[in-house]
Amino acid sequence: MAYPERYELVFEEPTPAADPTDPAPRKGVERDAVTVRRTARAGAGGFPVYEDETGIVRAEISDRGEVRMLASGGQQALSTPVTARSLDS
C-alpha cells in the first residue's frame, strides 16, 4: 500500500471542559499545526511512523488516518491531534 509522504497534524489547546471524545473542532481555541514526514520505521500497528524535522513530534498514522502519538523522549506529555491531513496531492 502507498502511504502519503507528509501529513499536517493539527493540535488544539486543551481546556478542562473539553470532551476528548468529541472530534469536532471548537471555536475560539488556539491551534498549532506540525508537518511530519514518513520515516523508514513502522510502529507497533505496522503502519508508517512520521516525524517532524526536529524528531520530537512522532506519530504512527494508519491507512485510515488514525493517529497514535509516540514519545521521543522522557517526561513527554503527548496530545492527540484533532486532525491529520495528508499533504500529498
Side-chain angles (χ1 to χ4, degrees):
M1 167 162 218
Y3 294 99
E5 279 297 315
R6 299 179 308 137
Y7 274 96
E8 179 182 61
L9 303 179
V10 180
F11 298 87
E12 284 188 354
E13 174 185 295
T15 60
D19 178 0
T21 62
D22 183 3
R26 295 173 290 142
K27 294 180 182 180
V29 175
E30 285 288 321
R31 290 184 182 81
D32 289 311
V34 177
T35 299
V36 293
R37 291 188 172 276
R38 188 171 45 147
T39 68
R41 296 184 300 273
F47 297 105
V49 171
Y50 292 78
E51 67 183 21
D52 73 339
E53 61 187 30
T54 68
I56 295 172
V57 177
R58 293 188 348 197
E60 178 182 7
I61 304 177
S62 78
D63 54 352
R64 295 182 296 187
E66 300 164 324
V67 180
R68 185 170 67 92
M69 297 303 296
L70 304 171
S72 60
Q75 306 296 322
Q76 218 174 0
L78 303 175
S79 297
T80 302
V82 176
T83 56
R85 294 187 282 252
S86 171
L87 296 177
D88 294 353
S89 30

